[in-house]
């Protein structure tokens, strides 16, 4: 039996962005009722697995200007300087807020200064971290705090299907009024009504066959916002993390960039280093350069992987600074204090997303988007290491502040109709879903990967449109499941990635085309506008 639930604010997503926003709202507006949805357990998102740390200006020898310029340089000329400056200027406050919540960051010594490390693209040590499991330290602390928030209702194992869009008489535009949500336990589709809705569902790296992300990174928020009429930007810029563990039994195991920051060397199977042939910064070059260099060497040599070697460092230093990597590799028989780690690039981060302003507002009234789901302009054509968690925290706070300042002016939306499942049946052909899922991820990896051509992209676009026809027919006739929802969303996001890549007739940052190897003089964002663009005036 489906339910109709009503809240002041609905937060969809339980990573750093969603939890931080919900906590800010709870602390500032205890009288507002907040619902927070997680499609699995609270700790199952990408935040939990983030290893490196959070970039912030915390050292007396560092500066806002230096962090801003490093980010712009890494972004291939596409960063929006106002967004970069806004994020960096708010970085010390974001870190202090985490410390106030109880996050235990690593110190130089007991009771001493916080230890800062350095990663690719950064000119200073500015990465604050909790050993090599920063995401877990941040996420577990925020989860503990959210459980104690009296006005936040948590809904684990709930996955949103679509946003509810209604006319907004006050602005003569459309507004978001909630979402249809599948309760995975009861298999019912419930209606969550809300005066404000926040999407914080993460990225879409699961569109690729090889990824460092957990299974939930299926682009749900981007697809839902697109279907609701929101513009997306720069979806062609998919960051491939250069170093994921290559092992037949390992799945989505990222090897943190901080190893290279502390002196690890990338080597060919013959033991020779190669990065200096591609960039004078060698292993500390930005991720797109390192990933492309590894891809080039693997294809040139026909090698299955390259190797990341930190064994020349003191074993106790390695174990104390990288306990998670050490233990993870050891379970696969690799002792990183004595031997190199076999690594390959894998899809890691979605730099594009739903277009928002500095408050996280979208084209659809009362819809906010934050975190990896959003396009803020911070990352440009290539995200600099450890700026992602910072973006989550800064925009979670600014979006929360805007909601707090305006929520009293927002009318309660009218009750939306229940989800109509009267003409659907149970499927006895779920193999179609798994087959389509596998096909989509394989052709995205083969045709829309680290190096692209127009011919490959056109082939991928043709394939994804055929898949969407099959998925639409299946979606219309059978009861929705979590796998079907994710497949439907991935197909939408895959098409957005392909169309954005076809539009960019140059090579810039994470988008490298053999047909257009040069870079245009004028740097421009790729903006896609949906057929039902929400920012158009309508007749009430």
């Amino acid at each position: 039996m489906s339910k109709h639930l009503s809240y002041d604010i609905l937060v969809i997503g339980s990573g750093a962005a969603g939890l931080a926003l919900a906590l800010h709202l709870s602390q500032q507006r205890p009288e507002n009722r907040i619902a927070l949805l997680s499609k699995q357990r609270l700790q199952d998102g990408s935040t939990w697995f983030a290893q490196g740390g959070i970039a912030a200006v915390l050292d007396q020898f560092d500066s806002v200007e230096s962090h801003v310029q490093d980010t712009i340089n890494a972004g291939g000329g596409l960063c929006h300087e106002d967004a970069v400056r806004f994020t960096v200027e708010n970085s010390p406050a974001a870190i202090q807020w985490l410390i106030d919540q109880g996050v235990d960051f690593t110190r130089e010594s007991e009771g001493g200064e916080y230890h800062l490390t350095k990663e690719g693209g950064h000119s200073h040590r500015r990465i604050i971290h909790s050993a090599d499991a920063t995401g877990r330290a941040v996420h577990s602390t925020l989860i503990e705090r959210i459980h104690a928030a009296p006005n936040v209702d948590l809904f684990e194992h709930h996955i949103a299907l679509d946003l509810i869009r209604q006319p907004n008489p006050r602005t003569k535009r459309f507004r978001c009024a909630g979402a249809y949500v599948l309760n995975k336990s009861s298999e019912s589709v419930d209606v969550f009504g809300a005066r404000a809705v926040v999407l914080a569902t993460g990225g879409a790296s699961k569109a690729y066959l090889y990824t460092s992300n957990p299974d939930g990174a299926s682009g749900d928020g981007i697809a839902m916002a697109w279907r609701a009429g929101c513009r997306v930007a720069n979806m062609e810029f998919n960051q491939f993390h250069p170093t994921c563990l290559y092992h037949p039994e390992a799945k989505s195991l990222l090897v943190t960039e901080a190893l290279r920051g502390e002196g690890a060397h990338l080597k060919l199977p013959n033991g020779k280093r190669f990065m200096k042939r591609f960039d004078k910064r060698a292993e500390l070059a930005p991720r797109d350069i390192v990933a492309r260099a590894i891809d080039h060497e693997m294809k040139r040599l026909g090698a299955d992987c390259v190797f990341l070697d930190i064994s020349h460092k003191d074993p106790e230093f390695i174990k104390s600074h990288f306990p998670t990597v050490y233990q993870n590799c050891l379970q696969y028989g690799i002792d990183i204090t004595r031997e190199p780690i076999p690594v390959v690039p894998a899809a890691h981060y979605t730099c594009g997303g739903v277009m928002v302003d500095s408050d996280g507002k979208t084209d659809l009234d009362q819809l906010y988007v934050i975190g990896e789901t959003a396009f803020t302009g911070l990352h440009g054509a290539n995200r600099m290491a450890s700026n992602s968690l910072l973006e989550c925290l800064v925009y979670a706070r600014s979006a929360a502040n805007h909601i707090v300042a305006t929520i009293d002016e927002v009318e309660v939306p009218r009750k939306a109709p229940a989800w109509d499942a009267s003409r659907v049946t149970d499927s006895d052909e779920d193999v179609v879903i798994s087959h389509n899922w596998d096909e989509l991820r394989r052709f995205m990896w083969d045709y829309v990967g680290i190096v692209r051509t127009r011919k490959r992209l056109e082939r991928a676009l043709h394939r994804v449109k055929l898949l969407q026809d099959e998925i639409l027919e299946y979606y219309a006739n059978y009861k929705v499941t979590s796998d079907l929802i994710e497949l439907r969303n991935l197909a939408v996001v895959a098409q957005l990635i392909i169309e954005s890549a076809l539009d960019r007739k140059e090579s810039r940052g994470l988008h490298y085309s053999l047909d257009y190897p040069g870079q245009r003089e004028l740097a421009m964002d790729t903006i896609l506008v949906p057929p039902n663009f929400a920012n158009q005036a309508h007749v009430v």
Side-chain angles (χ1 to χ4, degrees):
M1 188 72 177
S2 62
K3 301 176 184 175
H4 194 294
L5 303 163
S6 183
Y7 285 88
D8 293 300
I9 302 113
L10 171 63
V11 182
I12 302 174
S14 60
L19 289 174
L21 178 133
L23 279 172
H24 280 298
L25 290 173
S26 175
Q27 293 163 359
Q28 295 180 53
R29 295 281 298 201
E31 68 272 26
N32 286 148
R33 295 184 64 231
I34 303 161
L36 188 142
L37 309 185
S38 177
K39 70 177 182 179
Q40 297 171 19
R41 300 176 303 165
L42 291 181
Q43 64 266 41
D44 283 336
S46 295
T47 297
W48 188 270
F49 300 98
Q51 296 176 4
I54 308 170
V57 180
L58 303 170
D59 184 78
Q60 60 176 328
F61 299 109
D62 197 4
S63 68
V64 167
E65 199 58 40
S66 176
H67 191 170
V68 167
Q69 289 307 314
D70 287 347
T71 300
I72 290 173
N73 291 340
L78 270 185
C79 295
H80 295 195
E81 186 172 347
D82 57 344
V84 177
R85 199 166 292 279
F86 173 77
T87 306
V88 173
E89 286 176 348
N90 283 282
S91 64
I95 299 302
Q96 187 58 54
W97 183 79
L98 285 180
I99 294 170
D100 293 343
Q101 304 311 303
V103 176
D104 185 20
F105 290 111
T106 299
R107 295 180 182 269
E108 295 279 5
S109 59
E110 189 172 346
E113 296 292 321
Y114 289 110
H115 180 266
L116 303 176
T117 191
K118 186 178 180 182
E119 295 180 346
H122 293 274
S123 59
H124 290 273
R125 284 183 172 266
R126 63 168 68 101
I127 315 301
I128 190 169
H129 61 100
S130 182
D132 63 345
T134 307
R136 184 180 303 176
V138 170
H139 208 175
S140 59
T141 301
L142 296 182
I143 289 172
E144 183 179 335
R145 294 301 299 265
I146 205 72
H147 275 297
N151 60 332
V152 179
D153 291 342
L154 303 176
F155 296 86
E156 294 183 302
H157 305 290
H158 282 66
I159 179 169
L161 279 82
D162 270 315
L163 300 173
I164 297 168
R165 193 171 90 154
Q166 294 178 354
N168 186 348
R170 186 170 57 85
T171 64
K172 307 299 183 188
R173 304 196 320 181
F174 288 100
R175 64 168 289 180
C176 188
Y180 291 105
V181 178
L182 174 67
N183 180 334
K184 292 162 72 173
S185 300
S186 67
E187 298 185 349
S188 64
V189 176
D190 299 329
V191 179
F192 280 73
R195 291 198 283 170
V197 177
V198 184
L199 291 175
T201 60
S205 288
K206 215 58 184 174
Y208 288 93
L209 185 61
Y210 301 112
T211 175
S212 66
N213 286 198
D215 287 339
S218 50
D220 302 327
I222 297 171
M224 284 191 291
W226 173 261
R227 288 194 294 265
C230 295
R231 292 171 297 165
V232 301
N234 289 7
M235 288 298 295
E236 69 270 36
F237 296 115
N238 311 100
Q239 188 173 79
F240 290 81
H241 196 287
T243 53
C244 286
L245 178 65
Y246 177 76
H247 191 279
E249 296 175 15
K251 180 184 179 183
S252 304
L253 191 56
L254 181 147
V255 180
T256 175
E257 182 147 0
L259 265 83
R260 286 181 282 128
E262 294 296 339
H265 299 152
L266 280 165
K267 296 181 177 179
L268 299 175
N270 64 7
K272 290 186 177 180
R273 294 176 66 184
F274 60 91
M275 274 308 304
K276 284 191 176 179
R277 288 193 279 111
F278 294 90
D279 193 283
K280 64 181 180 181
R281 293 164 289 187
E283 282 82 3
L284 288 179
R287 287 177 175 174
D288 61 323
I289 295 172
V290 180
R292 205 155 51 241
I294 294 172
D295 183 69
H296 174 86
E297 291 299 297
M298 287 172 56
K299 287 175 178 173
R300 181 178 70 86
L301 297 171
D304 291 328
C305 64
V306 296
F307 294 88
L308 184 65
D309 191 0
I310 198 170
S311 62
H312 53 279
K313 291 280 189 177
D314 179 71
E316 291 308 312
F317 171 87
I318 296 171
K319 291 177 185 178
S320 63
H321 278 72
F322 306 107
T324 304
V325 177
Y326 175 75
Q327 290 296 334
N328 284 342
C329 289
L330 204 59
Q331 69 176 317
Y332 296 108
I334 302 164
D335 183 350
I336 69 172
T337 67
R338 306 178 62 179
E339 59 190 316
I341 309 165
V343 294
V344 293
H348 180 60
Y349 192 85
T350 306
C351 287
V354 183
M355 294 184 69
V356 299
D357 65 9
S358 61
D359 293 323
K361 300 199 306 292
T362 69
D363 295 318
L364 185 61
D365 288 352
Q366 302 313 123
L367 177 66
Y368 299 77
V369 177
I370 57 175
E372 193 176 351
T373 313
F375 168 77
T376 64
L378 171 64
H379 304 304
N382 184 21
R383 177 178 73 93
M384 191 166 68
S386 294
N387 270 349
S388 53
L389 283 176
L390 176 62
E391 181 186 40
C392 288
L393 298 167
V394 169
Y395 282 84
R397 183 177 185 177
S398 64
N401 288 343
H402 189 271
I403 292 171
V404 166
T406 60
I407 193 72
D408 288 337
E409 304 167 12
V410 180
E411 297 177 8
V412 175
R414 69 173 186 267
K415 189 174 181 179
W419 184 261
D420 183 8
S422 60
R423 290 173 290 181
V424 298
T425 62
D426 289 315
S427 170
D428 58 359
E429 297 181 357
D430 282 357
V431 67
V432 174
I433 297 176
S434 60
H435 175 81
N436 286 356
W437 179 288
D438 184 66
E439 182 183 351
L440 184 147
R441 296 178 68 206
R442 283 185 183 277
F443 74 65
M444 286 295 289
W445 182 264
D446 291 339
Y447 300 153
V448 201
I450 296 172
V451 177
R452 299 162 177 174
T453 68
R454 185 165 190 84
K455 193 170 186 178
R456 291 177 197 165
L457 293 172
E458 288 173 345
R459 190 173 295 156
L461 185 61
H462 175 70
R463 297 283 284 279
V464 80
K465 286 181 176 178
L466 291 175
L467 271 184
Q468 285 182 336
D469 289 340
E470 288 185 22
I471 294 165
L472 182 61
E473 188 270 337
Y474 197 96
Y475 186 79
N477 291 292
Y478 299 111
K479 287 183 179 178
V480 292
T481 64
S482 180
D483 287 344
L484 177 57
I485 294 166
E486 290 183 335
L487 174 63
R488 176 181 178 234
N489 290 334
L490 271 180
V492 170
V493 173
Q495 182 171 345
L496 296 175
I497 293 170
I498 297 164
E499 290 182 348
S500 297
L502 282 167
D503 278 354
R504 186 164 294 281
K505 296 176 174 60
E506 64 169 347
S507 289
R508 184 184 295 272
L510 300 166
H511 173 76
Y512 188 80
S513 171
L514 292 177
D515 295 313
Y516 306 99
Q519 188 175 106
R520 287 182 166 180
E521 186 175 344
L522 183 62
M524 297 180 65
D525 294 324
T526 304
I527 299 174
L528 301 182
V529 182
N532 60 334
F533 183 35
N535 206 0
Q536 300 176 45
H538 65 275
V539 178
V540 179

